[in-house]
Amino acid sequence: MRLRSRQTFNTLITALLTFALYTAISTYHRHVKDKRLANKDVREFVTLNEQDTQESYVDSTPKRNTILIPKPLPPTVPTRRANAAFVMLVRNKDVHGARSAIRQVEDRFNRNYQYPYVFLNNEPFTPKFQELVRTMSKANMTFAQIPEEHWSYPEWIDEDLAEETRYNMRKIIYGWSESYRHMCRYQSGFFFQHEVMLQYDYYWRIEPDVKYSCDIDFDPFLYMQDNNKKYAFTISIIEYPETIRSLWNTTRSFMKKYPHLLAENNSLEFISDDEGETYNMCHFWSNFEIADARWMRGEAYTTFFDHLDRTGGFFYERWGDAPVHSIAAALLLPRNEIHFFREVGYYHKPFYNCPAEPGLRTKCHCDPYQNINREYMACTTKFLELTGGDKMIYPEELEDMEDMQDD
């Protein structure tokens, strides 16, 4: 009886030891496997919900609530850059709109290129403005004040008449504004001549609160330089006729006085439907423009601006810098030196440019149905027809093609 009890006891001990050894070996193997997994070169573990995990995690090990994210490739470092800068005319009170615009530009393009920024103001920038803006980019930033003579009435202007004009135009957009007129005159003839801008060959104009909705995976500055482009736009619409009643007659007098400054093969047909008798109001919306500052500092453009400025139209009417730049580009440049950047998804209240082309649409998050360039008040199609550019693709066309394929 004692012998049988001792044999039973020994059998039990052996079974327990065998189970313990098996458990230890299993635990060891799981530990080694987990350690190998943890040592893989991964960036981070991202928790997914159970459904995502079941769809995306494929392995022989038990399902886990994690997925491995590989380390991203380093950003492309440009091998060359143009001699160029972003330029923004901005007031201290618009600091948050300025920061938003810079963030947009950095996220869509400049984070890899680090083109510098130039900020201009008719008053001194506050330390707070500079501090807040500098946090938005690692690129070099310059803050400069506009010379008083560029933001004041020239000696030939009758200020009483200018005031009367503002009163009479009070029901027209910005018709009542004195500062808006100084801004338009400055943007038309002076910003590219500021001492801090003289070092740059090209500029890209940005404004507070604008939005960029497409990734820009090329360098627009270098495109301008390599293809001999002098002026580029992304939206083209018609101007308010009430604001520029005498602008075209003044332009015609310039054309008659300085015919040698007009470019051969220019774009007169873009801005006039009757061989120059009248202005059709088409203009490039200049809140976005990329241009060759050397052209604007040259004889043809400065002569054109001085001719306009002497008539007082910036103050006696409400001439905008957009039609001034546009008429100058159309008359003083060969048409092949003006470019439409359809790739740049852009919003300035209240208008969008949003491409529908399949190769571009995947880089954008905007709605191509909201593209102002497709509307009756736009002139971009006219420009493309004149210059032989590829026509814009409308989203309806893509849908029709998809329906035909389905059929």
Side-chain angles (χ1 to χ4, degrees):
M1 185 68 179
R2 289 183 178 178
L3 180 60
R4 183 174 298 177
S5 297
R6 180 178 297 274
Q7 290 176 342
T8 302
F9 175 77
N10 290 340
T11 301
L12 179 61
I13 292 298
T14 300
L16 290 173
L17 290 174
T18 301
F19 178 76
L21 179 61
Y22 173 80
T23 302
I25 292 173
S26 299
T27 302
Y28 171 78
H29 282 297
R30 284 199 302 270
H31 173 73
V32 170
K33 187 171 185 178
D34 288 345
K35 189 173 183 180
R36 286 199 305 267
L37 182 63
N39 286 336
K40 283 187 177 181
D41 183 18
V42 296
R43 175 83 175 210
E44 59 180 322
F45 287 88
V46 178
T47 302
L48 300 177
N49 59 42
E50 189 64 32
Q51 180 179 357
D52 290 340
T53 301
Q54 292 174 359
E55 293 175 351
S56 58
Y57 187 86
V58 180
D59 196 89
S60 59
T61 58
K63 301 261 185 250
R64 302 186 180 193
N65 218 27
T66 57
I67 184 171
L68 303 177
I69 304 299
K71 186 181 296 184
L73 295 174
T76 301
V77 178
T79 57
R80 64 189 183 104
R81 296 194 315 175
N83 180 23
F86 297 98
V87 60
M88 180 188 290
L89 180 63
V90 60
R91 300 167 294 188
N92 286 304
K93 68 180 183 179
D94 296 323
V95 60
H96 298 298
R99 298 177 78 230
S100 174
I102 298 166
R103 182 74 275 152
Q104 293 277 325
V105 172
E106 290 293 308
D107 288 347
R108 298 298 170 209
F109 168 69
N110 201 44
R111 66 184 183 277
N112 294 333
Y113 291 86
Q114 298 297 290
Y115 278 106
Y117 293 84
V118 173
F119 300 94
L120 301 172
N121 190 352
N122 64 306
E123 298 178 350
F125 282 108
T126 64
K128 189 65 174 177
F129 180 96
Q130 298 182 51
E131 175 188 352
L132 289 174
V133 167
R134 286 188 188 277
T135 64
M136 305 311 296
S137 172
K138 296 179 181 179
N140 183 61
M141 294 184 176
T142 302
F143 302 84
Q145 187 172 355
I146 297 169
E148 183 178 358
E149 61 269 23
H150 290 170
W151 198 280
S152 59
Y153 291 103
E155 60 184 9
W156 58 85
I157 294 298
D158 182 337
E159 295 188 34
D160 291 334
L161 179 57
E163 182 179 3
E164 181 181 342
T165 296
R166 295 195 300 275
Y167 178 80
N168 292 336
M169 296 183 69
R170 65 191 183 278
K171 295 183 179 180
I172 298 174
I173 184 170
Y174 298 118
W176 48 266
S177 175
E178 181 179 34
S179 63
Y180 189 84
R181 286 171 167 79
H182 286 298
M183 182 272 291
C184 289
R185 179 173 179 257
Y186 182 75
Q187 295 279 39
S188 295
F190 298 114
F191 78 91
F192 47 86
Q193 300 193 63
H194 196 289
E195 61 180 0
V196 300
M197 290 292 295
L198 294 178
Q199 62 183 303
Y200 299 114
D201 296 338
Y202 298 91
Y203 71 85
W204 178 335
R205 177 171 161 182
I206 55 177
E207 293 197 355
D209 290 311
V210 296
K211 301 183 187 305
Y212 289 84
S213 54
C214 301
D215 289 332
I216 304 172
D217 55 5
F218 67 102
D219 187 339
F221 286 128
L222 283 179
Y223 180 88
M224 299 283 289
Q225 176 178 292
D226 295 344
N227 294 278
N228 194 33
K229 303 296 184 181
K230 299 294 193 301
Y231 189 89
F233 69 99
T234 194
I235 289 176
S236 177
I237 54 177
I238 57 176
E239 179 62 297
Y240 295 97
E242 300 86 354
T243 66
I244 53 169
R245 294 185 184 279
S246 67
L247 177 59
W248 187 246
N249 285 337
T250 306
T251 298
R252 293 184 66 189
S253 68
F254 166 82
M255 296 166 66
K256 184 178 294 187
K257 187 175 181 179
Y258 302 101
H260 63 287
L261 296 180
L262 304 181
E264 294 184 7
N265 195 33
N266 61 39
S267 304
L268 175 63
E269 297 170 57
F270 173 66
I271 57 175
S272 177
D273 299 328
D274 50 17
E275 300 181 344
E277 288 297 316
T278 60
Y279 177 35
N280 62 15
M281 303 297 153
C282 283
H283 69 281
F284 309 122
W285 216 28
S286 60
N287 46 69
F288 170 95
E289 61 183 10
I290 303 176
D292 189 328
R294 297 166 298 183
W295 165 65
M296 303 189 81
R297 291 191 286 260
E299 177 190 5
Y301 185 87
T302 55
T303 302
F304 176 66
F305 170 75
D306 291 341
H307 182 83
L308 300 184
D309 196 29
R310 280 286 172 175
T311 68
F314 290 105
F315 300 105
Y316 299 149
E317 295 183 20
R318 203 230 66 188
W319 294 355
D321 56 278
V324 171
H325 287 190
S326 303
I327 292 172
L331 296 178
L332 307 179
L333 293 174
R335 61 183 62 173
N336 63 359
E337 294 184 0
I338 305 174
H339 183 68
F340 169 46
F341 274 125
R342 72 182 71 212
E343 306 93 334
V344 179
Y346 176 73
Y347 173 75
H348 181 293
K349 189 177 180 180
F351 299 133
Y352 279 95
N353 174 59
C354 184
E357 286 80 354
L360 300 177
R361 196 169 180 178
T362 56
K363 302 175 184 178
C364 307
H365 65 257
C366 53
D367 180 358
Y369 284 95
Q370 295 185 4
N371 189 349
I372 187 61
N373 285 316
R374 55 184 264 137
E375 301 297 336
Y376 74 94
M377 62 183 296
C379 302
T380 306
T381 296
K382 182 181 182 68
F383 172 82
L384 294 175
E385 291 174 351
L386 175 66
T387 58
D390 294 337
K391 77 180 192 71
M392 290 181 293
I393 299 296
Y394 294 155
E396 296 92 338
E397 296 177 295
L398 297 177
E399 292 175 358
D400 291 342
M401 293 174 60
E402 292 172 355
D403 291 341
M404 292 177 60
Q405 291 175 354
D406 292 340
D407 294 339

